[in-house]
Amino acid sequence: MTHTVLITGANGFVGHAVSRALLQRGDAVTGVVRKPGTTCDGVREWVLETSDFLEVGSRWPAALVPDTVVHLAARVHMMRDTSTDPLAAYRETNVAGTLRVAKAALHAGARRLVFVSSIKAIGERDEGRPLRESDEPAPCDPYGVSKLEAERALFALSRESGLEVVVVRPPLVYGSGVQANFLQLMDAISRGLPLPLGAITARRSLVFVDNLADAIVQSVTDPRAAGETFHVTDRHDLSVAELARMLATQLHAPCRLVPVPPGVLRMLGKVSGRSAQVDRLIGELRLDSSHIGKTLGWYPPHTVEQGLLQTAAWYRATR
């Protein structure tokens, strides 16, 4: 059975992967973007130039009646947010903007909304065991707080209106087109730079972008997903040192890891004002992603080795 799907943020890293996966199924895909010509071939574009989805309801095309909306667009996490009130800025986009999309979609006849949240909605590290969807949330920054508030607001709307809501919480996402810290790590490895990662044993969950897209597509199509929250991972947690070694192999580059003790890294982080970055390197953040397997029968179609191979191939081809 094919679906008509609307994707916000369709021109982003994850949006491209989700669009491709839906198109391969034969679904009709419309992408909401702020600039034309930025989506995958085969995606119909709806150019909406307003900020935070203001007026999304009044500007909704009359002919657009999606079965499902995948809401990816967000104010993303920033290491150095220059806003005078970061929490208010995150809330305006990630909570108020999300609700505007959900209510407009409901009015247009959509039956389901898949909200791509973040593991930051529940926390920044595990406490000795992988985090489950049922754990008490403890977000640590304005971004995480806004994502959790958006989840709760959507489920409240679902109870009032009958709109089916599915929440997907990914950890760090990697793959072709990845940016930020993951790209910086590949840059450093490719250049043969020594990295102070050799003594880090803490493991963190990751998800290959095509695995995440596959889980989102099943959340779009599977009746059993309604009302659920899912952690989605590759099911193969790595330490940063293991990740660096695997990337070096795929990049055909030397892996020069210096065994700097975690305590020294913490001290250097405080001195340099980068404690948050260091904590992400040396702290464990493992997710239990068994719930989506038990509920939907979903398992990642690609191994972490396959995901890193594709990511490295993209990197080599574009550098």
Side-chain angles (χ1 to χ4, degrees), residues 17 36 40 48 51 112 170 195 197 200 236 254 305 307:
C40 299
L48 182 69
S51 299
R112 176 174 294 190
L195 300 171
L197 308 175
I200 299 175
H236 185 164
E305 291 83 3

Side-chain angles (χ1 to χ4, degrees), residues 28-270:
V29 180
T30 298
V32 184
V33 295
R34 296 182 69 176
K35 294 182 180 180
T38 55
T39 58
C40 299
D41 290 342
V43 174
R44 178 177 297 176
E45 291 184 343
W46 170 18
V47 180
L48 182 69
E49 297 176 341
T50 63
S51 299
D52 304 326
F53 294 97
L54 292 168
E55 302 178 17
V56 63
S58 61
R59 299 191 184 195
W60 194 285
L64 179 58
V65 185
D67 299 303
T68 302
V69 172
V70 177
H71 188 49
L72 285 162
R75 179 181 173 88
V76 298
H77 177 258
M78 291 178 280
M79 295 303 299
R80 291 181 175 84
D81 198 317
T82 58
S83 301
T84 55
D85 188 346
L87 181 54
Y90 280 113
R91 279 174 168 158
E92 182 58 27
T93 302
N94 296 348
V95 185
T98 296
L99 279 176
R100 290 180 189 118
V101 170
K103 291 175 180 179
L106 182 65
H107 186 263
R111 296 192 300 270
R112 176 174 294 190
L113 184 140
V114 178
F115 177 58
V116 181
S117 182
S118 167
I119 196 55
K120 287 178 175 291
I122 193 171
E124 293 279 2
R125 64 173 57 207
D126 66 66
E127 299 298 331
R129 64 162 177 79
L131 295 173
R132 304 186 184 107
E133 292 87 346
S134 58
D135 287 338
E136 186 66 26
C140 299
D141 62 18
Y143 172 74
V145 170
S146 71
K147 282 294 195 177
L148 178 63
E149 290 180 353
E151 292 179 13
R152 289 174 169 172
L154 285 173
F155 281 125
L157 177 64
S158 176
R159 290 189 294 270
E160 296 168 3
S161 66
L163 177 70
E164 296 177 353
V165 170
V166 186
V167 169
V168 175
R169 290 181 184 150
L172 174 66
V173 186
Y174 67 95
S176 300
V178 70
Q179 300 295 314
N181 292 340
F182 203 98
L183 180 59
Q184 292 175 14
L185 178 61
M186 288 196 291
D187 282 337
I189 292 170
S190 181
R191 293 163 60 191
L193 299 178
L195 300 171
L197 308 175
I200 299 175
T201 58
R203 294 178 178 272
R204 299 180 74 87
S205 294
L206 309 170
V207 64
F208 177 44
V209 69
D210 287 353
N211 284 339
L212 176 58
D214 191 77
I216 291 170
V217 168
Q218 187 153 353
S219 297
V220 166
T221 60
D222 196 319
R224 298 170 296 179
E228 297 286 352
T229 299
F230 297 125
H231 292 172
V232 179
T233 76
D234 287 340
R235 296 202 169 193
H236 185 164
D237 301 336
L238 300 172
S239 70
V240 177
E242 290 172 327
L243 174 61
R245 293 187 187 100
M246 293 175 73
L247 280 172
T249 298
Q250 304 292 13
L251 291 169
H252 308 150
C255 187
R256 299 190 171 101
L257 301 183
V258 181
V260 178
V264 174
L265 290 175
R266 284 193 181 92
M267 180 184 67
L268 293 173
K270 289 180 180 179

